Amino acid sequence: MFTGIIETLGTIQEIKNEKNNIHITVDSTITNELKIDQSVAHNGICLTVVEIKGNAYTVTAIDETIQKTNIGNWSVGDFVNLERAMKLGDRLDGHIVQGHVDQIGVCVGVTEANGSWIFTFEYDEALNNITIEKGSITVNGVSLTVVNSKENQFSVAIIPYTYEHTNFHNFEVGTKINLEFDVIGKYVSRLYSIK
């Protein structure tokens, strides 16, 4: 379980393919605090640490994860948003985030708003995910508030701190991102569709 509050950025050092799996090695300032078998969210994707060497650690993504996320677009040198799982008793500063990406979205607009930024994203509505005005959304692991919610599109407002300390500063029109929709909203939507 995560909160969507990004701790730091990691840099991808190596990507290795092995059968249907991808092994990703990440250099990070939190590596010395990690341990084997620990869950870390990478751009919102919950992945397990399988190896630690110096300032870098390795995680493995299986085919299911590769198919449902933007991991296939990652390259050596890319920055990834990192968050370790929350501790019981910590403050929940963001919202409840599982680290289970629902689908890929694409950035369709970036507007500077006199000291902040408005990012607009589109997603495939065929998967029946929804956003609501002022509801929660996770974009590349970042807990955000939805503005301008539409059927298959929404926007988020990004403050300078978030822009500088996450990989939002690398987003441009066409950038593919990971989306995890609000878990409570998903349950409500599912219950409503059953009736």
Side-chain angles (χ1 to χ4, degrees), residues 4-9 29 81-82 93 114-117 119 142-144 157-170:
I5 304 300
I6 302 306
E7 288 185 70
T8 189
L9 286 168
T29 57
N81 297 326
L82 300 177
D93 291 324
N114 198 23
S116 64
W117 292 263
F119 287 83
V142 182
S143 172
L144 298 164
I158 301 297
I159 63 172
Y161 183 89
T162 304
Y163 185 83
E164 293 164 13
H165 290 88
T166 69
N167 57 13
F168 263 85
H169 60 268
N170 291 328

Side-chain angles (χ1 to χ4, degrees), residues 163-183:
Y163 185 83
E164 293 164 13
H165 290 88
T166 69
N167 57 13
F168 263 85
H169 60 268
N170 291 328
F171 291 5
E172 55 189 32
V173 171
T175 298
K176 291 183 179 177
I177 47 87
N178 295 317
L179 293 173
E180 181 180 333
F181 294 82
D182 181 51
V183 68

Side-chain angles (χ1 to χ4, degrees), residues 120-161:
T120 302
F121 301 99
E122 274 187 0
Y123 58 93
D124 182 358
E125 61 191 306
L127 297 176
N128 296 321
N129 290 308
I130 60 166
T131 61
I132 60 167
E133 199 72 20
K134 305 300 183 228
S136 296
I137 187 75
T138 307
V139 176
N140 265 10
V142 182
S143 172
L144 298 164
T145 301
V146 171
V147 296
N148 199 21
S149 175
K150 297 182 180 175
E151 204 163 309
N152 70 325
Q153 190 180 88
F154 67 92
S155 298
V156 293
I158 301 297
I159 63 172
Y161 183 89

Side-chain angles (χ1 to χ4, degrees), residues 47-74:
L47 297 169
T48 301
V49 175
V50 296
E51 184 178 26
I52 299 172
K53 282 187 181 174
N55 291 331
Y57 66 91
T58 302
V59 293
T60 301
I62 62 171
D63 190 54
E64 168 77 7
T65 303
I66 296 162
Q67 296 306 317
K68 292 191 174 174
T69 69
N70 69 358
I71 261 182
N73 297 328
W74 293 4

Side-chain angles (χ1 to χ4, degrees), residues 15 68 104:
I15 298 173
K68 292 191 174 174
I104 296 171

Side-chain angles (χ1 to χ4, degrees), residues 37-50:
D37 213 24
Q38 186 170 3
S39 295
V40 179
H42 300 72
N43 282 354
I45 307 164
C46 179
L47 297 169
T48 301
V49 175
V50 296

